[in-house]
Amino acid sequence: MNILLKSAKIVCPENKELHLKTRDILIKKGIIEKIGAKIESPANTKLLDLENLHVSLGWFDSGVSFGEPGFEERETIANGLYVAGKSGFTDIVLNPNTQPVPDTSSNVVFLKERGLGKPTNIHPLGTLTKNAEGVDLAELFDMKNAGAVAYYDFKRQISNANLLKIALLYAQNFGGLVYSFPQDGSIKGHGVAHEGEVSTILGLKGIPALAEELQIARDLFILEYTGGKLHIPTISTAGSVKLIANAKKKGLDVSCSVAIHNLFFTDETLKGFDTHFKVSPPLRTKSDTKALIKGLKDGSIDFVTTDHIPMDVEHKRVEFDNAKNGSLGLESAFGSLNTLFELDETISFLTQGRARFGVACPKLEEGAEANLTLFNPEGTYTFEDKDILSTSKNSMYLGAELKGKVYGIINNDQIVL
């Protein structure tokens, strides 16, 4: 496929010569052939002349859930990857939030094969333990050879400290990245919302910041003892930011992410008992949100994630205590980040993270494979049902004012618009 992007403003801080320059970009058979001030459209070329067109390197998300296999009614891999592409993402790390969970190489191969030939690349996570039960390590080395980029018992704490120690020691033999979800279940108990003024007023059982910070402190002590590579997904408290920043100053190989909704919303939104806002970790306070934003800007937090979790209506249209955790996040990711940050920052946050997972980093230059996201950063709109492309409709962003729209992606010699 041949494509000519007309008058595209390039947002690529890594390329000083092209950053914020308006250029035509000619793509032939998936390769960027020419970048110039004015390029005439060759024959048999698809011309894209979109309003206020901006282009960046393709976006990356380190934490997306679909449903297949086991929960196809929530989302299939095929439609999920289409949603990711329409939302601007050319690469996604797939959470092991399925049934059965991917705890063997054959499970990982199945997921990789389901993503073949799609515009958005899929990078599966395997579980850390068999059946994600936290008892015995899964086939970590075999899964790495099959294409798993890291190991995660999705949203489940590693309660056995010795198991995490052994996992970190063993995974060093092949450079494996080990996840540890930041939540101590014994302190969380039956909590469903951040422990604070709002949960007290609403009569909801609270999850204290201590539940997250105690788990992180333990994990960092273990990492200091063992060495290895540790990733802590979706931190949510100011104390967590400090703990990880201090660990990095010590030279520990630790990374972390923050869910975009924990930057955009606080626990104040729970006052309507809307189960779309029930997530794990929970929405926290304004002071936590400020600390997370600061940590993202200064590098204490390594990257953002949509923490996209489709959930069928039967598990959301119930009492708050009984509802399952999770919200959609792909469709609203750019609009929410672009509301909170300057455009340069937003694009940097959306493009970083690949190296941590051993995923090849694209380049925006002549001769490189076209791995691009197309968008218009201007204009505000109210996020509505029509903006949801996922099979499930459980988005906490419904009614939110967002800024900017995504046109789509160009990747793998394919285009999604």
Side-chain angles (χ1 to χ4, degrees), residues 259-302:
I260 295 171
H261 52 248
N262 281 101
L263 303 171
F264 196 81
F265 295 105
T266 69
D267 60 346
E268 290 287 333
T269 60
L270 301 183
K271 290 181 178 178
F273 290 98
D274 187 342
T275 58
H276 287 151
F277 294 98
K278 187 181 181 185
V279 288
S280 178
L283 301 175
R284 304 279 187 185
T285 66
K286 188 65 177 177
S287 60
D288 289 308
T289 299
K290 288 180 178 178
L292 293 166
I293 290 173
K294 182 176 182 294
L296 192 57
K297 288 184 174 185
D298 67 24
S300 300
I301 299 173
D302 297 87

Side-chain angles (χ1 to χ4, degrees), residues 151-197:
Y151 312 102
Y152 182 25
D153 288 355
F154 181 69
K155 301 287 186 181
R156 302 181 188 184
Q157 72 166 106
I158 304 173
S159 55
N160 185 336
N162 191 54
L163 183 69
L164 178 62
K165 183 196 78 173
I166 293 170
L168 286 166
L169 287 169
Y170 173 59
Q172 288 179 59
N173 293 306
F174 47 88
L177 178 62
V178 174
Y179 273 59
S180 180
F181 183 59
Q183 191 165 263
D184 185 306
S186 62
I187 292 179
K188 171 188 176 289
H190 297 291
V192 295
H194 170 69
E195 181 184 84
E197 182 179 336

Side-chain angles (χ1 to χ4, degrees), residues 379-399:
T380 59
Y381 70 103
T382 301
F383 191 82
E384 300 175 354
D385 284 322
K386 64 181 177 63
D387 299 304
I388 297 177
L389 304 172
S390 301
T391 302
S392 297
K393 306 301 176 184
N394 57 304
S395 175
M396 69 170 70
Y397 289 91
L398 288 168

Side-chain angles (χ1 to χ4, degrees), residues 44-85:
N44 301 317
T45 298
K46 183 178 179 65
L47 182 66
L48 291 182
D49 190 2
L50 303 169
E51 181 183 357
N52 195 30
L53 175 60
H54 285 57
V55 62
S56 72
L57 291 173
W59 300 343
F60 174 80
D61 191 342
S62 65
V64 173
S65 299
F66 292 145
E68 184 181 1
F71 303 111
E72 287 85 353
E73 73 279 4
R74 298 177 185 173
E75 190 66 278
T76 63
I77 290 174
N79 191 65
L81 290 176
Y82 168 74
V83 174

Side-chain angles (χ1 to χ4, degrees), residues 3-113:
I3 303 167
L4 178 60
L5 303 178
K6 291 296 291 183
S7 302
K9 190 168 187 177
I10 296 171
V11 184
C12 186
E14 300 87 353
N15 189 325
K16 302 299 182 185
E17 293 183 4
L18 291 175
H19 183 49
L20 300 183
K21 300 292 195 304
T22 299
R23 296 288 187 268
D24 291 354
I25 303 174
L26 179 61
I27 300 165
K28 286 190 175 182
K29 296 180 179 179
I31 304 297
I32 300 175
E33 182 171 279
K34 187 176 181 181
I35 302 174
K38 187 174 183 181
I39 302 173
E40 295 300 325
S41 180
N44 301 317
T45 298
K46 183 178 179 65
L47 182 66
L48 291 182
D49 190 2
L50 303 169
E51 181 183 357
N52 195 30
L53 175 60
H54 285 57
V55 62
S56 72
L57 291 173
W59 300 343
F60 174 80
D61 191 342
S62 65
V64 173
S65 299
F66 292 145
E68 184 181 1
F71 303 111
E72 287 85 353
E73 73 279 4
R74 298 177 185 173
E75 190 66 278
T76 63
I77 290 174
N79 191 65
L81 290 176
Y82 168 74
V83 174
K86 286 281 287 184
S87 302
F89 293 90
T90 57
D91 291 89
I92 60 106
V93 173
L94 185 64
N95 287 322
N97 188 21
T98 57
Q99 183 60 43
V101 295
D103 60 355
T104 67
S105 57
S106 60
N107 297 141
V108 173
V109 168
F110 168 81
L111 296 171
K112 292 284 287 185
E113 289 180 344

